[in-house]
């Protein structure tokens, strides 16, 4: 039973105040829509919501002891399972912690892609200038942590295809004195966001 | 479907029936608002939704072989990948819950760990800003059983620890070494920390 209008049955002859009351009722109702006003199967598009992004975080640890390896060496991988119909992930933030930053010159960069049938990493996206420097200014060689924001790779999407996508973290600039001490480590976390999935 | 008034044009003179019919059309719309009746131009805020939270989980691990380390030893770190320093941005993760699992809990003196949040300063010293989980026992299942066990770890203030996660690192710290824990290299202690915050707008 609807409770929107006061006068579901009008007087005869018509009393204009009854109609005006109903008009006011309708105006009030439209300014106060509630859950019960919306159809159960409305399936409101997520883009009509102010907040529409979900988020996952992944972390890996690279164990040191022999110094930072050679340029292009992969230190760790973030694997993004899914299918080609999924909403696209966007890498948003990176955070790292390292207990042996060496000379403070080592750099780790990121690339998105997949391995082909010849074991060659096919790069889908290579975020420009998106790297972290393992440094603790002004004191080198000590532990430090850092965080990087989306401004480094704003809008860089990671599309799927028939392959699941990887984000590889690789050595961009070697610093053999970093991650050199026995038991030392580099741990990196990355956050990925995408529109909330419909299914 | 949108409201469709049966009598958009009234006869002249008009009777009460077509007007009553139009009001019925309006009231029939209640409970039938569909996606196409809602505009893109004025997105519905999260505060008006019933389900408003998303979660992520971080793990802290410590491998076995030599038991728990000496008290105050930092056993593992997990940097939080927050990406937005604004007050309402991704730095506003709240620690929602935590739990632990250990494959070998020993059967003697119970070991204890805690979880803290903080950062390394320029001298390379970890600065604790929040104690997420206070001293917590890694209890063995029962006397004579030094086997696997798990448990829930109470969050320190239950609501807002830490108040900002941007640039923060979670750390697992030993409080009491205990005896006979994590005796083989295959053993491990795992602590998971679940963070929640409002669904993101960006």
């Amino acid at each position: 039973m609807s409770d929107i209008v006061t006068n579901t049955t009008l007087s005869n002859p018509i009393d204009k105040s009854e109609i005006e009351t109903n008009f006011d009722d309708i105006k009030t109702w439209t300014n106060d829509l509630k859950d019960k006003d919306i159809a159960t199967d409305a399936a409101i598009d997520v883009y009509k919501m102010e907040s529409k992004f979900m988020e996952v975080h992944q972390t890996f640890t690279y164990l040191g002891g022999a110094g930072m390896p050679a340029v292009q060496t992969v230190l760790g991988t973030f694997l993004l399972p899914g299918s080609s119909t999924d909403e696209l992930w966007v890498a948003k933030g990176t955070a790292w912690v390292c207990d042996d930053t060496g000379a403070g010159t080592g750099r780790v960069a990121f690339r998105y892609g997949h391995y082909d049938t010849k074991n060659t990493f096919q790069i889908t996206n290579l975020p420009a200038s998106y790297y972290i420097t393992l440094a603790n200014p002004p004191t080198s060689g000590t532990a430090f942590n850092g965080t990087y924001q989306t401004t480094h790779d704003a809008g860089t999407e990671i599309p799927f295809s028939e392959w699941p996508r990887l984000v590889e973290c690789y050595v961009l600039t070697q610093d053999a004195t970093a991650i050199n001490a026995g038991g030392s480590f580099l741990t990196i976390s990355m956050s990925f966001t995408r529109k909330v999935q419909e299914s | 479907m949108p409201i469709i008034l049966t009598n958009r044009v009234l006869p002249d003179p008009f009777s009460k029936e077509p007007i009553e019919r139009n009001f019925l059309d309006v009231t029939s719309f209640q409970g039938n608002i569909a996606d196409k009746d809602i505009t893109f131009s004025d997105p519905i805020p999260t505060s008006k939704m019933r389900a408003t939270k998303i979660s992520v989980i971080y793990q802290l691990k410590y491998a076995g072989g030599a038991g728990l380390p000496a008290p105050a030893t930092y056993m593992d770190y997990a940097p939080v990948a927050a990406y937005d320093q604004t007050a309402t941005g991704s730095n506003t993760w709240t620690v929602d819950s935590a739990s632990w699992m250990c494959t070998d809990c020993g059967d003697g003196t119970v070991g204890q760990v805690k979880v803290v949040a903080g950062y390394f300063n320029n001298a390379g010293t970890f600065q604790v800003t929040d104690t997420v989980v206070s001293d917590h026992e890694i209890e063995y299942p029962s006397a004579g059983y030094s086997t696997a066990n798990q448990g829930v770890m109470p969050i320190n203030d239950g609501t807002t620890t830490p108040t900002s996660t941007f640039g923060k690192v979670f750390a697992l710290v030993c409080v009491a070494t205990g005896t006979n824990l994590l005796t083989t290299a295959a053993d491990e202690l795992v602590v998971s920390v679940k963070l929640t915050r409002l669904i993101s707008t960006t």
Side-chain angles (χ1 to χ4, degrees):
Chain A
M1 182 66 182
S2 171
D3 54 4
I4 296 174
V5 296
T6 304
N7 305 299
T8 55
T9 302
L10 301 173
S11 301
N12 193 8
I14 294 173
D15 178 349
K16 84 181 189 76
S17 67
E18 293 178 348
I19 298 177
E20 289 169 347
T21 296
N22 282 0
F23 286 157
D24 287 342
D25 291 340
I26 293 170
K27 181 181 179 182
T28 300
W29 173 62
T30 57
N31 285 330
D32 192 30
L33 293 176
K34 296 181 174 64
D35 177 61
K36 67 178 181 180
D37 299 316
I38 300 172
T40 303
D41 60 353
I44 300 170
D45 191 303
V46 72
Y47 275 113
K48 295 177 181 178
M49 303 292 144
E50 184 179 66
S51 301
K52 46 190 165 287
F53 290 95
M54 56 173 285
E55 197 164 330
V56 298
H57 293 198
Q58 291 194 37
T59 300
F60 78 83
T61 295
Y62 177 81
L63 295 176
M68 206 170 176
V71 170
Q72 293 294 317
T73 301
V74 176
L75 301 178
T77 300
F78 301 117
L79 182 58
L80 297 167
S83 71
S84 58
T85 59
D86 287 351
E87 299 293 336
L88 301 183
W89 290 108
V90 176
K92 295 285 281 188
T94 305
W96 61 273
V97 58
C98 178
D99 68 343
D100 181 10
T101 57
T105 57
R107 285 180 172 171
V108 177
F110 305 86
R111 57 193 176 207
Y112 312 151
H114 68 277
Y115 284 93
D116 66 13
T117 55
K118 296 179 180 177
N119 198 37
T120 301
F121 192 82
Q122 300 294 330
I123 298 173
T124 304
N125 283 311
L126 189 62
S129 302
Y130 189 33
Y131 58 80
I132 57 178
T133 302
L134 304 183
N136 180 4
T139 308
S140 63
T142 58
F144 198 60
N145 66 279
T147 298
Y148 288 81
Q149 298 182 68
T150 186
T151 48
H152 289 268
D153 69 334
T156 301
E157 295 179 324
I158 309 171
F160 289 99
S161 64
E162 63 269 38
W163 297 283
R165 292 301 181 187
L166 312 173
V167 176
E168 282 194 340
C169 309
Y170 64 98
V171 176
L172 182 66
T173 305
Q174 185 186 28
D175 173 6
T177 65
I179 332 173
N180 188 40
S184 59
F185 64 88
L186 167 64
T187 298
I188 299 177
S189 298
M190 184 172 268
S191 58
F192 303 90
T193 67
R194 71 177 179 188
K195 194 180 83 169
V196 175
Q197 287 270 125
E198 291 183 3
S199 61
Chain B
M1 59 183 298
I3 297 177
I4 298 176
L5 299 178
T6 305
N7 304 297
R8 292 185 58 245
V9 178
L10 299 174
D12 187 13
F14 60 91
S15 62
K16 75 186 188 89
E17 285 78 14
I19 298 177
E20 288 175 345
R21 174 64 210 190
N22 281 356
F23 284 134
L24 180 61
D25 291 337
V26 172
T27 57
S28 297
F29 191 55
Q30 188 175 40
N32 287 301
I33 295 176
D35 176 62
K36 63 182 177 182
D37 300 315
I38 300 171
T39 179
F40 278 102
S41 62
D42 188 18
I44 302 169
T46 306
S47 58
K48 293 183 179 177
M49 310 306 294
R50 182 177 297 170
T52 61
K53 297 292 183 64
I54 59 174
S55 299
V56 296
I57 296 173
Y58 278 89
Q59 279 198 343
L60 298 156
K61 292 185 177 182
Y62 188 75
L68 283 178
T73 300
Y74 282 69
M75 302 159 65
D76 195 18
Y77 300 92
V80 181
Y83 52 83
D84 183 351
Q85 294 187 73
T86 64
T88 57
S90 75
N91 72 333
T92 54
W93 289 105
T94 296
V95 178
D96 173 79
S97 55
S99 59
W100 64 270
M101 186 282 299
C102 182
T103 58
D104 179 9
C105 302
D107 57 0
T109 304
V110 177
Q112 291 185 45
V113 298
K114 64 179 179 180
V115 179
V116 298
Y119 62 94
F120 283 101
N121 65 12
N122 284 339
T125 303
F126 195 82
Q127 305 294 303
V128 175
T129 58
D130 306 273
T131 298
V132 178
V133 175
S134 296
D135 304 358
H136 190 83
E137 293 186 338
I138 307 302
E139 296 175 310
Y140 50 85
S142 58
Y145 289 90
S146 60
T147 54
N149 201 5
Q150 69 282 307
V152 173
M153 307 174 97
I155 303 304
N156 229 24
D157 71 359
T159 52
T160 56
T161 307
T163 52
S164 170
T165 49
F166 189 82
K168 291 291 176 60
V169 175
F170 287 119
L172 180 63
V173 185
C174 185
V175 175
T177 306
T179 55
N180 304 329
L181 287 81
L182 299 166
T183 51
T184 74
D187 290 321
E188 65 176 355
L189 168 65
V190 181
V191 172
S192 289
V193 178
K194 182 160 75 75
L195 313 179
T196 64
R197 71 179 180 97
L198 290 175
I199 296 173
S200 179
T201 57
T202 58

